[in-house]
Amino acid sequence: MHTIKISDRVIKKQENFWNNIHFHPTDAIEDDWGQRILNEVAKDRVADTVRMYAMLEDIVSMDENGKLQYDFTENDVRMDYMVEKGFQILLSYNFMPPCIARHPEEKSAAAKNKTRYKGKMIVVSPPKDYKAWEEICYEYTKHIVERYGLETVKTWYLQCFNEPDLPGFFMKDVPVDQVEKRAAEYCKLYHGFANGIGRVSKELTIGGPALAHTMEFLDRWINYVKENNLQLDYICGHSYGTQVSALKDGTRSFDTMNNVSRNIEYLDVVKKHYPEGMDIIIDEWGASAQGFYNVEECPALLFRETEKFAAYYGKMITQCIEMNAAPKKMMICLSGQHEMTVDFSGFRNFFTLNFIRKPIYNAYVLGRKMKENVLEWDGKADNLTVLPTMDDQGNHAVMLTYSSKNFDQDLPAFEGTLEIKNVQGNKHVTVWAIDADHTNPYAVFMKKGYQPDMTKAQIQELQEEGFMKPVEEYDCQADGTLKIDVKLSNNGLMVVEF
């Protein structure tokens, strides 16, 4: 029996950076199925901040005299809902309205079925007139400030575009390796963005570049921002552990350190340019990129349905904290939701087609239970991560994950004892687990041999399985040391509260 000793010494204060999401497609916010998901997210407090797109292409047009005109109707429906639910918003100013695009015929579709949601395409061209782009950023910002108030919008993060270093979202015909050319165009885009928003208020929080690929792009853009004395309040980028091609050829398997290392890359660049400090937001993360791919393209993406993804999340959080690689926020990217035709298809989302909670969703529910004070502990064991936390009132939450480096080994169960020092009196202990036997609808689906065309009763059974329920709950007495026995299954995530 392995012993994990937890003291009451606080080794660091850690703001929750892990309970945030990128909800995609943004225009599902106006639809019943999108609101059904976000209603649960709000109720369970799964996310503090939600990233969404401004979808400027839905708002801006040009009249016959060449004057820009605006229709904020759809935007207001989406944002009214998000504000009503109490979400902090990270708002990405994209995509390019065709009326001001240099090449309006340059379009892209990032979706499995070759169109965006509702059959839309996005224009990926730079603007033909950067003054027009600045004016759009000004008018849009003025509108949201007038509608929601400066004090509210000041709490949001306003972001210039998405992945401008990749052809899928910006400059379709310019290769990724032409970094200088791509970065130079984005610098002008950010300049107009900063000027436009600044004309409304300098108190608003703005940043970029939602980087996807190379740090050279980030370096060039930061240099431009500093040389031109532009407002910049945070830097944002994406962190994906692997991608479909690398999973298929075995060159980059699942490993939380891929995400942690990417965070460290961002931190290193920022420290070089801003030794005094600068907030970093990972506005998209995933164990694998390509959320519009599923098991049809890559069977390994089945992990998105299983306990492995929950363990991945817990382990990544712990390693980020241990290695001083924690950003201001990390936002899991939810996508492919509108592409589902069956349950458990391996898309990157929280719920299945029939609204069955996935283990990764419940991992976010458990993540919310963690406290702000990280405690000192001793008793390391192979394949085990431990994150002991406590709030200022003495309530504890200990997160444990148990898995091999690449989540591919069949490890024997881990049995151990938590020994928490300086605890007195009667305590109520609650143990939560996500593993092969607990809170795992897909595992039940497989064990019972259900088929994709499930009956109503089978769907209801799996929906019920998806709700978090304690594995154990009991009262006990502590006289200086509280001892709690724990048993973790392979690829298991556990949170112990008392």
Side-chain angles (χ1 to χ4, degrees):
M1 184 74 79
H2 189 85
T3 301
I4 300 163
K5 296 182 179 180
I6 299 172
S7 80
D8 60 353
R9 190 173 86 85
V10 177
I11 57 175
K12 67 167 65 174
K13 292 270 189 182
Q14 181 60 62
E15 180 181 331
N16 183 325
F17 61 85
W18 51 85
N19 276 111
N20 308 285
I21 66 172
H22 170 35
F23 186 79
H24 184 84
T26 289
D27 34 351
I29 295 172
E30 68 210 38
D31 297 331
D32 290 343
W33 72 266
Q35 291 188 8
R36 188 181 184 189
I37 292 170
L38 289 166
N39 287 345
E40 294 300 298
V41 167
K43 183 184 71 178
D44 293 334
R45 298 180 59 242
V46 158
D48 293 318
T49 304
V50 180
R51 182 185 186 226
M52 58 183 287
Y53 295 149
M55 300 190 71
L56 297 171
E57 71 274 28
D58 285 353
I59 297 170
V60 184
S61 61
M62 190 174 285
D63 67 17
E64 58 187 16
N65 298 316
K67 182 180 179 182
L68 292 172
Q69 53 190 10
Y70 302 86
D71 183 352
F72 296 105
T73 304
E74 290 180 336
N75 174 85
D76 293 349
V77 170
R78 298 165 194 153
M79 297 194 68
D80 286 357
Y81 170 84
M82 299 299 283
V83 171
E84 178 188 334
K85 288 295 171 183
F87 293 121
Q88 184 185 46
I89 295 172
L90 190 152
L91 188 57
S92 185
Y93 280 47
N94 56 342
F95 286 98
M96 193 59 61
C99 63
I100 70 161
R102 191 180 306 165
H103 303 291
E105 73 284 357
E106 287 190 359
K107 296 181 178 179
S108 178
K112 181 179 173 65
N113 292 329
K114 308 307 177 190
T115 66
R116 290 174 69 215
Y117 186 47
K118 301 180 180 178
K120 296 177 182 178
M121 302 279 278
I122 58 173
V123 174
V124 298
S125 166
K128 58 187 174 185
D129 180 354
Y130 277 97
K131 278 295 181 185
W133 166 252
E134 176 183 323
E135 190 65 19
I136 288 170
C137 292
Y138 165 74
E139 289 290 347
Y140 182 78
T141 306
K142 182 165 75 74
H143 172 76
I144 61 174
V145 167
E146 288 174 350
R147 187 171 183 87
Y148 305 107
L150 181 60
E151 292 307 307
T152 294
V153 181
K154 275 167 55 177
T155 68
W156 298 354
Y157 295 91
L158 309 182
Q159 175 190 77
C160 184
F161 231 71
N162 179 66
E163 296 187 349
D165 54 332
L166 291 186
F169 291 99
F170 192 60
M171 303 177 72
K172 185 177 181 179
D173 295 329
V174 179
V176 171
D177 58 3
Q178 293 189 21
V179 179
E180 184 176 0
K181 185 175 182 178
R182 299 185 68 86
E185 205 71 54
Y186 178 72
C187 287
K188 291 186 284 186
L189 197 72
Y190 186 84
H191 203 142
F193 166 82
N195 284 351
I197 293 176
R199 286 163 54 193
V200 178
S201 173
K202 295 290 187 182
E203 296 183 73
L204 299 172
T205 302
I206 69 172
L211 185 79
H213 187 54
T214 172
M215 291 296 163
E216 181 189 345
F217 186 104
L218 182 62
D219 211 50
R220 289 179 177 276
W221 170 67
I222 293 175
N223 282 329
Y224 180 90
V225 167
K226 296 180 77 172
E227 287 167 4
N228 288 273
N229 197 31
L230 300 179
Q231 181 178 342
L232 177 62
D233 303 302
Y234 69 96
I235 288 169
C236 52
H238 300 167
S239 174
Y240 288 104
T242 185
Q243 58 185 353
V244 168
S245 60
L247 287 172
K248 285 183 171 181
D249 64 21
T251 56
R252 193 173 178 87
S253 57
F254 297 117
D255 185 347
T256 52
M257 282 305 299
N258 295 337
N259 297 88
V260 176
S261 298
R262 181 68 169 176
N263 289 4
I264 292 171
E265 286 186 77
Y266 286 120
L267 287 162
D268 287 345
V269 172
V270 169
K271 285 176 185 175
K272 180 179 75 173
H273 289 282
Y274 299 98
E276 71 282 7
M278 170 70 71
D279 284 344
I280 298 174
I281 293 178
I282 305 299
D283 61 297
E284 290 185 25
W285 82 267
S288 174
Q290 295 160 299
F292 292 107
Y293 284 32
N294 68 348
V295 293
E296 294 176 353
E297 289 85 10
C298 181
L301 294 180
L302 185 65
F303 83 93
R304 291 171 173 163
E305 311 292 341
T306 74
E307 70 277 6
K308 287 185 181 181
F309 202 6
Y312 192 106
Y313 170 70
K315 187 175 183 179
M316 181 189 69
I317 291 169
T318 304
Q319 290 174 330
C320 282
I321 294 172
E322 289 178 343
M323 301 184 68
N324 296 316
K328 179 74 172 178
K329 294 179 183 290
M330 286 189 80
M331 302 178 177
I332 190 170
C333 183
L334 306 176
S335 54
Q337 297 167 117
H338 66 290
E339 303 274 4
M340 291 185 289
T341 57
V342 296
D343 295 293
F344 310 123
S345 50
F347 282 116
R348 192 173 59 198
N349 42 38
F350 275 163
F351 296 87
T352 74
L353 179 67
N354 284 299
F355 213 67
I356 299 165
R357 288 163 169 77
K358 296 186 180 187
I360 184 59
Y361 179 80
N362 283 312
Y364 269 71
V365 173
L366 294 185
R368 175 57 71 191
K369 296 180 180 295
M370 305 308 290
K371 314 303 181 185
E372 63 271 21
N373 300 307
V374 180
L375 302 177
E376 183 179 53
W377 70 280
D378 187 32
K380 294 185 184 299
D382 291 341
N383 303 309
L384 182 74
T385 66
V386 181
L387 179 60
T389 67
M390 179 180 69
D391 65 19
D392 292 338
Q393 289 71 48
N395 300 302
H396 288 66
V398 183
M399 179 178 282
L400 305 103
T401 64
Y402 181 58
S403 69
S404 61
K405 177 178 173 62
N406 302 123
F407 301 84
D408 56 354
Q409 295 181 29
D410 187 12
L411 301 175
F414 172 87
E415 296 188 47
T417 300
L418 304 181
E419 287 190 2
I420 302 95
K421 301 297 184 184
N422 297 325
V423 179
Q424 301 281 349
N426 186 59
K427 299 297 173 185
H428 186 76
V429 177
T430 308
V431 180
W432 310 87
I434 302 171
D435 56 33
D437 299 309
H438 300 97
T439 326
N440 199 326
Y442 178 72
V444 173
F445 175 86
M446 292 300 293
K447 286 174 185 175
K448 295 198 173 184
Y450 292 162
Q451 297 302 306
D453 55 340
M454 288 185 288
T455 67
K456 184 177 180 180
Q458 289 169 343
I459 291 169
Q460 288 177 340
E461 177 190 6
L462 298 187
Q463 287 173 339
E464 180 61 29
E465 172 67 18
F467 283 95
M468 289 298 310
K469 296 170 281 291
V471 175
E472 287 186 277
E473 193 168 10
Y474 57 89
D475 293 317
C476 61
Q477 194 70 23
D479 187 15
T481 300
L482 177 63
K483 295 185 179 182
I484 302 172
D485 292 334
V486 294
K487 183 175 181 179
L488 280 86
S489 300
N490 184 38
N491 293 322
L493 170 66
M494 177 177 287
V495 169
V496 180
E497 290 185 288
F498 64 91

